[in-house]
Amino acid sequence: MSTFPWKYELSDHSCSIYAGDLLNKYTNVSGTPLQIEAVTDTTLRIHARTLESFAVEQRPKLTGTLTAVSPSDDLPQEKTACDAALRTAFTGTASSDASQNNQSLLTFATKALQISLDDELHLQICSLGGTPLCSDYTGKLQEAESLTEEEIEQMREEGHVVHAGDDACRFQITKSLYGDEVFYGLGDKTGFLNKMGYDYTMWNTDNPDPHVENPTFKALYKSIPFFITLRKDCVYGIFFDNHYKTSFDMGYSSTDYYSIGAADGELDYYFIYGDTIADVIKNYTALTGRCPLPQLWTLGYHQSRWGYSSQQEVLELAENFINNDLPCDVIHMDIDYMDNYKVFTVDKNKFPDLSGLSNTLQDKGIRLVTIIDPGTKVEKGYHMYDEGVCNHYFAQTPEGDIYENVVWPGDSVFPDYTSSTVRNWWGSQTKLLVDQGISGIWNDMNEPASFRGPLPENVVFPGDDIPRLHKEVHNVYGHLMAKATYEGLKETSGKRPFVITRACYSGSQKYSTAWTGDNQSIWTHLKMSIPQLLNLGMSGMPFVGTDIGGFGSNTTPELLCRWIQASCFAPLFRNHCAKFSRCQEPWQFDRQTLDIYRTYLKLRYRFIPYLYDLFYEESQTGMPIIRPLVMHYQNDPEVYECNDEYLVGDRILVAPVTDQGAHVRPVYLPEGIWVDYWTKERIEGGKYILQDAPLDICPIYIKAGSIIPTWPQLNHIPDGGAKELILEYYTSDAPAEYCHYQDNGTDFSYENGEYNIYHFHIDSDGHLTTSMDHQGYDHLYDAVRLSAH
Ligand code: GLC
């Protein structure tokens, strides 16, 4: 069986770089084992086409770009064929862009970068001025700490988590640290915003333990092998496009270097340079794709719980929202709605008329989303199982039998989403739910999670033509499931698909929103949710959220209040909890909790047009919706490690309280004038303030000079949005500008020009003028009102 070389869906995440005039603009090394391609002037692709010749077993002399990790005994000293071939190719094909200097240093340049490679394949990337930006490390590597089997066993017996040999790499790249680096990104990993000094593993992992901090939790549900390096005078990103198990040692083993290794697959990574973090994200999402415009209602409030077990219960839940004057657009139905946890079935005893229920709810302004897991119950006579078996749609053992493990339905089999036929089959099943009025699908357990031990590495995914092993497919399994669901929903509903996924790989943003999986109702998880969502955004996944209130264990009224406040601008805005935990709908506690909860739901609903504008911006540029302060104040080192504040777009700053009992907190306000959202007090930034924050107050500030589009108060989001727009204007002496996007909020007609872009201008006397930058959607606002503060 061939496992190499396999480039999963080249067109999926790389198509954009091969489009149009970017194609091979500067291909300086071709036909050689190592290829450096300038995709654009600022994005380089470094790709070893024939990695087998670099494999550890072959022991070539590779100490830099490709470092043999083990065994570490003598590597042959003679020059390898690839070195020679490389030089030949450089001198042969490089024309004026590349040269070979006296020290056998090969160099070429783009309009932004100088690239050089020595005869041991050490790569150095410099600015045009010659400042090193990113260089292969040429010094000695730290020996890994070694423990005897006996020591490991002893430590494990005492309950310690010992990572011994779990992360064995077949190859790695090692880059010098200059001492001024701050790292962001890497998806949903635990811990703080800055990843410097930690090490992580990319291996999609379902671990319900209370994950808080690396080093215990190296891996979580998502594998997004992309990070951004901020240095004093430059920013760059590295996208390590390898979906086998990979490891990222971000200066954990040594303060001299950081390294990235992979268990298998190809060496294939992108160096992405920019002036700003925003540039790097823009270029990364140009490679991997952006989150398309969502349906408007998906930006509203979502209520969920594992355990809503009957039609009556769901109806009463909706009525409770309405009777308590609580905005709500979506109710999620967890596995309880299915017949014996069989995907694409409905338990007719508990939900005798799902269509009737969805219609009734939609009349009240509330939609239903249902969960779908990949694990398919083994049961003869069940259509999914029978069709899948008959057509060989499931993963197999190496002997060719269908592979079984255990998930919610008991004995289960796993669809092979690497096959386009299987994806189409799976996607077409969404019709069963769409026809019953279901508005979106929540994909869970797609790491894939399994209860009878993990899937062995050699489980086979037959695919369309080339079979792949589990070790190769694991990190893209959830991604491909989300793709199948997105494409299925697009076909069966004709609307912009709403998909949520737990497992992801780079590029999943094209198909799905994501949540951070099974957190707990603990204050440390509330605190961690901020850097986690911000890093996901900087990793190209903008439409994300946490389980508000916490999934596992029991929330408290105070924790719930602080969580809804901290999340009030989270792109995905969903309260969800586990079956055996305390109920945490807003009315489950006291009057004060209900009132506070309502205040923040209502606040969120007023800002929906601003959030939607940010989604439009994201679809054009990849800019996340919520952003760390460093994205807009890159020259202010005070914000590089700001873990407990975030910006919504570039003009709202939120500083949630994340400590039990705290009624005051320090807030750092970057340069400029900031207006306290609640009191309208104007505060000069560039300093810390001590902010009072009683339980009903989440500190929020608006940058003076901002125009922010809002809606009148609504409890449900109508298709096409509200009829009236209120421009909240936070005055300043200078004129203000704002572009606002509007369309029908449901389907793809915007792709045919059916949208409006309003251009608002407020002059220094406070007069508003409006022009249209684009007019293609008939339903203009009935009124646009200015409200100045
Ligand atoms: C997983 C999900 C959780 C869901 C549960 C039952 O633990 O992460 O959100 O409620 O399964 O389906």
Side-chain angles (χ1 to χ4, degrees), residues 447-461:
E447 292 70 34
S450 48
F451 300 161
R452 200 174 52 206
L455 271 67
E457 282 196 346
N458 61 357
V459 164
V460 180
F461 292 79

Side-chain angles (χ1 to χ4, degrees), residues 41-55:
D41 283 323
T42 52
T43 299
L44 305 175
R45 182 184 185 201
I46 297 103
H47 184 199
R49 287 212 178 279
T50 54
L51 193 63
E52 293 305 1
S53 61
F54 294 90

Side-chain angles (χ1 to χ4, degrees), residues 71-237:
S72 58
D73 42 330
D74 300 346
L75 298 172
Q77 288 306 302
E78 70 276 359
K79 293 256 179 293
T80 57
C82 62
D83 287 330
L86 178 73
R87 275 199 300 275
T88 312
F90 250 109
T91 47
T93 63
S95 69
S96 59
D97 280 325
S99 60
Q100 184 176 6
N101 70 16
N102 294 339
Q103 290 82 45
S104 307
L105 205 66
L106 304 163
T107 63
F108 71 99
T110 70
K111 288 195 183 114
L113 299 168
Q114 283 184 33
I115 299 102
S116 61
L117 202 63
D118 70 14
D119 59 0
E120 290 182 336
L121 299 185
H122 295 124
L123 177 69
Q124 184 172 61
I125 303 169
C126 297
S127 67
L128 282 189
T131 310
L133 306 171
C134 176
S135 309
D136 284 339
Y137 177 70
T138 54
K140 195 169 156 12
L141 301 183
Q142 291 281 340
E143 296 287 326
E145 197 184 330
S146 60
L147 296 173
T148 63
E149 283 298 315
E150 202 182 326
E151 286 169 327
I152 293 172
E153 202 39 49
Q154 242 173 18
M155 292 178 78
R156 284 192 171 140
E157 267 170 21
E158 211 197 340
H160 297 286
V161 178
V162 187
H163 294 276
D166 302 359
D167 302 331
C169 294
R170 189 168 147 238
F171 62 89
Q172 72 181 38
I173 55 170
T174 307
K175 305 282 181 193
S176 296
L177 284 171
Y178 294 93
D180 59 351
E181 288 88 352
V182 184
F183 294 122
Y184 303 115
L186 293 175
D188 61 344
K189 299 290 180 259
T190 56
F192 300 100
L193 197 62
N194 177 8
K195 299 303 182 195
M196 168 60 84
Y198 293 98
D199 67 329
Y200 297 97
T201 304
M202 295 295 171
W203 185 252
N204 290 353
T205 302
D206 171 29
N207 189 341
D209 289 348
H211 45 266
V212 178
E213 201 49 83
N214 184 283
T216 319
F217 284 88
K218 289 169 187 276
L220 267 187
Y221 303 93
K222 300 169 185 54
S223 291
I224 308 191
F226 169 69
F227 61 90
I228 297 169
T229 309
L230 174 66
R231 295 192 49 208
K232 204 159 143 283
D233 296 314
C234 75
V235 191
Y236 68 85

